[in-house]
């Protein structure tokens, strides 16, 4: 049985990723910051709710402590929680964007590392974005070129870099970042863009389930490795 934690799993890509992993037989912990939303999602998925706000150290510590007490290990961590942070461009907005999208990855990963080390085939997948790829945003032929989402892009660049650095520091754990594809979720609703969440979650699940001889330290989309 694969023990899995998905952060921000009460809706969107995280919810659908959790659903597909449950269907593959994983024991999935649905991390959500709001108990009501999280409980409802977990019940619908046949998964377990764990309260987890990626901006709150105590919440993250308690969530991983519970998984440790119940399972003794963690096989797969999906760092999915994220925000678009496009309402303003100032200090507080920047701190919040980085707190959720980048520092949150550090908080959860650091708390998870002791449990990941107890797994035979540990893996971490961070749902990042091609908007955090210097290659993509400086390439006029790419859609990312025309999207001025400074805080989102910068914080996702940090999330991808953290993934690469974690992969180098922990060769026994597979760390990869993923661009799931433009997806119709609450995050993108104002733009009216994106494909069904099922298709994008499949990209996350593929990278998460590649097996012990899979790659590490990469940023990938559905076509494979993406320059970052
Ligand atoms: P979404 O529907 O808005 O879902 C975001 C999830 O993150 C929600 O469950 C939300 O919980 C959670 N979250 C936000 N702040 C949190 C916090 N402090 N602690 C814990 N959870 C928190 O968006 P989505 O499109 O599914 O996005 C999922 C991931 O995919 C994000 O990392 C996003 O950047 C990435 N992504 C999305 C697209 C796209 O086109 N949609 C493309 C590339 C990458 P609440 O319900 O409590 O707010």
């Amino acid at each position: 049985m694969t023990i899995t934690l998905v952060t921000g799993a009460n809706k969107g890509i995280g919810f659908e990723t959790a659903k597909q992993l449950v269907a593959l037989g994983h024991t999935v912990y649905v991390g959500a910051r709001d108990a009501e939303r999280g409980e409802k999602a977990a019940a619908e998925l046949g998964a377990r709710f764990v309260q987890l706000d990626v901006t709150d150290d105590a919440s993250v510590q308690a969530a991983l402590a519970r998984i440790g007490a119940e399972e003794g290990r963690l096989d797969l961590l999906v760092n999915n929680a994220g925000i678009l942070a496009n309402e303003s461009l100032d200090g507080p907005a920047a701190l919040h964007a980085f707190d959720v999208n980048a520092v949150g990855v550090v908080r959860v990963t650091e708390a998870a590392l002791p449990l990941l080390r107890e797994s035979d085939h540990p893996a971490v997948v961070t749902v990042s974005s091609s908007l955090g790829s210097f290659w993509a945003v400086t390439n006029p032929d790419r859609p990312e070129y025309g999207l001025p989402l400074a805080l989102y892009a910068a914080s996702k660049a940090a999330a991808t870099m953290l993934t690469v650095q974690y992969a180098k520091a922990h060769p026994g754990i597979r760390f990869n970042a993923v661009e799931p594809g433009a997806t119709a979720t609450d995050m993108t609703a104002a733009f009216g863009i994106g494909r069904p969440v099922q298709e994008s979650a499949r990209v996350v699940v593929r990278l998460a389930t590649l097996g012990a001889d899979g790659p590490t330290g990469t940023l990938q989309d559905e076509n494979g490795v993406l320059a970052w």
Side-chain angles (χ1 to χ4, degrees), residues 7-15 31-34 37 52-56 79-84 96 100-101 127-130 152 156 178-188 193-194 197 200:
T7 67
N10 55 286
K11 67 177 182 180
I13 295 168
F15 178 87
R33 58 182 170 161
D34 178 86
R37 291 196 290 271
L52 196 164
D53 182 332
V54 300
T55 66
D56 179 344
N79 285 313
N80 166 80
I83 56 169
L84 193 60
H96 188 51
V100 178
N101 290 349
V127 184
S128 187
S129 172
S130 55
Y152 184 75
K156 289 297 188 179
V178 64
E179 155 58 59
T183 315
T185 63
D186 287 353
M187 184 177 281
T188 56
I193 59 159
V197 77
S200 299

Side-chain angles (χ1 to χ4, degrees), residues 173-184:
I173 303 173
R174 281 196 317 107
F175 282 89
N176 290 287
V178 64
E179 155 58 59
T183 315

Side-chain angles (χ1 to χ4, degrees), residues 54-215:
V54 300
T55 66
D56 179 344
D57 282 296
S59 153
V60 171
Q61 295 290 343
L64 273 299
R66 193 186 125 200
I67 296 170
E70 289 180 3
E71 312 293 345
R73 71 176 200 280
L74 184 66
D75 301 302
L76 171 62
L77 166 63
V78 182
N79 285 313
N80 166 80
I83 56 169
L84 193 60
N86 65 336
E87 276 148 30
S88 49
L89 185 50
D90 53 25
L95 283 172
H96 188 51
F98 275 82
D99 200 14
V100 178
N101 290 349
V103 183
V105 172
V106 176
R107 280 193 193 94
V108 179
T109 304
E110 289 297 319
L113 276 173
L115 292 182
L116 288 164
R117 288 196 196 98
E118 298 300 321
S119 169
D120 289 338
H121 304 295
V124 178
V125 172
T126 293
V127 184
S128 187
S129 172
S130 55
L131 275 162
S133 158
F134 288 76
W135 169 79
V137 299
T138 53
N139 184 342
D141 297 331
R142 293 278 309 193
E144 296 86 350
Y145 184 84
L147 284 170
L149 292 165
L151 295 178
Y152 184 75
S155 58
K156 289 297 188 179
T160 302
M161 178 57 85
L162 285 165
T163 304
V164 173
Q165 294 295 336
Y166 270 121
K168 288 164 63 120
H170 302 281
I173 303 173
R174 281 196 317 107
F175 282 89
N176 290 287
V178 64
E179 155 58 59
T183 315
T185 63
D186 287 353
M187 184 177 281
T188 56
F191 306 108
I193 59 159
R195 63 186 184 180
V197 77
Q198 290 81 2
E199 292 175 35
S200 299
R202 226 172 278 137
V203 181
V204 181
V205 168
R206 184 193 68 86
L207 196 56
T209 55
L210 277 182
D213 55 351

